[in-house]
Amino acid sequence: AGTSTRNDAKSFAPIGSAATPFTGTFDGNGYRIYDLSIQRTGTDGNNAGLFGVADGADIRGVTLVDAKIHGNENVGGLVGLAQNGTVLRADVVRKRDGSARDGTMKTEATDNVSGSASVGGLVGMLKDSTICGFSQNAATVSGKQAVGGLAGSAVSAEIFDSSNTGYTSAEMNLARGQSVGVITASSGRAGGLVGDAKDTVIEAREARAATYN
């Protein structure tokens, strides 16, 4: 399994890489991780997320709250590139009214997860893997192409009993006291659940707020 250390110039270094992927089980036991920050560009920004590359891994029971993750290709809140594994009961959300630790309402308009291609709220690239167990994205996600609420791109994957929730504008979300879950692709292929899917089975509960610029 891969390990990680903090990098002050780029904030958190993702757990697992193409050379040394995370291969174990991570159970967050229902805990929340607040304000995770990953800021990477160029090829150094490929496979960005709490876990950079996960191969045959089981990631479950964790919620990212108000993360700010920026990369290049394969960018996800939880996993940049997930292959041959499972994401179960995991969420990526923005702070909502009353949920912030200081009791204030979240009003910033910054994206939670952003990149170039294959950008997803939970997983950037989902390959031969599964998202299930009522996993949810309620964070803002943006990129150029292949942008989705749950996964940016999915190949030979399965997604079920999971959702992306939100509305089409930050103002409407804040007025209703809801989490923001707007999905934006500047060059197309945006989806409430998946931006670009191939040979993938999707049986999810709901999808909202896919927008194109």
Short mmCIF file of all heavy atoms in Angstrom, two decimals, residues 8 18 73 84 96 108 120 147 150 159 171 185-186 191:
data_model
loop_
_atom_site.label_atom_id
_atom_site.label_comp_id
_atom_site.label_asym_id
_atom_site.label_seq_id
_atom_site.Cartn_x
_atom_site.Cartn_y
_atom_site.Cartn_z
N ASP A 8 4.14 21.11 1.63
CA ASP A 8 3.66 22.46 1.85
C ASP A 8 3.37 23.22 0.56
O ASP A 8 2.49 24.05 0.50
CB ASP A 8 4.66 23.25 2.70
CG ASP A 8 4.70 22.74 4.13
OD1 ASP A 8 3.70 22.16 4.56
OD2 ASP A 8 5.73 22.91 4.80
N ALA A 18 0.84 5.77 -9.56
CA ALA A 18 0.88 4.75 -10.60
C ALA A 18 1.96 3.72 -10.30
O ALA A 18 1.81 2.53 -10.57
CB ALA A 18 1.11 5.40 -11.96
N GLU A 73 -5.51 15.44 -15.19
CA GLU A 73 -6.35 14.33 -15.65
C GLU A 73 -6.52 13.31 -14.52
O GLU A 73 -5.63 13.11 -13.71
CB GLU A 73 -5.72 13.65 -16.86
CG GLU A 73 -5.62 14.56 -18.08
CD GLU A 73 -5.07 13.84 -19.29
OE1 GLU A 73 -4.75 12.63 -19.19
OE2 GLU A 73 -4.94 14.49 -20.34
N ASN A 84 -10.27 -1.95 -10.42
CA ASN A 84 -10.44 -3.26 -9.78
C ASN A 84 -10.79 -3.16 -8.30
O ASN A 84 -10.35 -3.96 -7.48
CB ASN A 84 -9.16 -4.10 -9.93
CG ASN A 84 -8.69 -4.20 -11.35
OD1 ASN A 84 -9.45 -4.57 -12.25
ND2 ASN A 84 -7.43 -3.82 -11.59
N ARG A 96 -22.99 22.94 4.54
CA ARG A 96 -24.32 23.52 4.40
C ARG A 96 -24.64 24.31 5.67
O ARG A 96 -23.93 24.22 6.66
CB ARG A 96 -25.38 22.45 4.14
CG ARG A 96 -25.58 21.49 5.30
CD ARG A 96 -26.64 20.47 4.96
NE ARG A 96 -26.19 19.60 3.89
CZ ARG A 96 -26.99 18.74 3.28
NH1 ARG A 96 -28.28 18.67 3.63
NH2 ARG A 96 -26.55 17.94 2.34
N GLU A 108 -18.66 30.57 -0.26
CA GLU A 108 -17.66 30.68 -1.31
C GLU A 108 -18.13 29.97 -2.57
O GLU A 108 -18.79 28.94 -2.52
CB GLU A 108 -16.33 30.08 -0.85
CG GLU A 108 -15.68 30.85 0.29
CD GLU A 108 -14.37 30.22 0.72
OE1 GLU A 108 -13.85 29.38 -0.03
OE2 GLU A 108 -13.89 30.57 1.81
N GLY A 120 -14.20 13.83 -11.45
CA GLY A 120 -15.43 13.39 -10.79
C GLY A 120 -15.49 13.78 -9.34
O GLY A 120 -14.45 13.92 -8.68
N VAL A 147 -16.69 15.15 -17.24
CA VAL A 147 -16.86 15.62 -15.87
C VAL A 147 -18.18 15.07 -15.33
O VAL A 147 -19.23 15.22 -15.96
CB VAL A 147 -16.89 17.17 -15.81
CG1 VAL A 147 -17.00 17.64 -14.36
CG2 VAL A 147 -15.65 17.75 -16.48
N LEU A 150 -20.39 11.67 -9.88
CA LEU A 150 -19.78 10.53 -9.18
C LEU A 150 -18.44 10.15 -9.80
O LEU A 150 -17.47 9.95 -9.08
CB LEU A 150 -20.72 9.33 -9.21
CG LEU A 150 -22.06 9.53 -8.48
CD1 LEU A 150 -22.92 8.28 -8.61
CD2 LEU A 150 -21.84 9.88 -7.02
N ILE A 159 -22.14 1.38 -11.22
CA ILE A 159 -22.51 2.43 -10.28
C ILE A 159 -23.97 2.20 -9.90
O ILE A 159 -24.84 2.19 -10.77
CB ILE A 159 -22.36 3.83 -10.89
CG1 ILE A 159 -20.89 4.09 -11.26
CG2 ILE A 159 -22.85 4.90 -9.92
CD1 ILE A 159 -20.67 5.39 -12.00
N GLU A 171 -26.42 30.23 -6.08
CA GLU A 171 -27.36 31.09 -5.37
C GLU A 171 -28.59 30.32 -4.92
O GLU A 171 -29.07 30.46 -3.81
CB GLU A 171 -27.77 32.26 -6.27
CG GLU A 171 -26.66 33.27 -6.53
CD GLU A 171 -25.67 32.76 -7.56
OE1 GLU A 171 -25.99 31.81 -8.29
OE2 GLU A 171 -24.56 33.30 -7.61
N ALA A 185 -18.72 21.26 -17.49
CA ALA A 185 -17.67 20.89 -18.44
C ALA A 185 -17.60 21.96 -19.52
O ALA A 185 -18.58 22.19 -20.23
CB ALA A 185 -17.96 19.53 -19.06
N SER A 186 -16.48 22.62 -19.65
CA SER A 186 -16.37 23.73 -20.60
C SER A 186 -16.35 23.27 -22.05
O SER A 186 -16.71 24.01 -22.96
CB SER A 186 -15.12 24.56 -20.30
OG SER A 186 -13.95 23.77 -20.42
N GLY A 191 -21.94 15.02 -16.95
CA GLY A 191 -23.09 14.24 -16.53
C GLY A 191 -23.32 14.35 -15.04
O GLY A 191 -22.36 14.45 -14.26
#
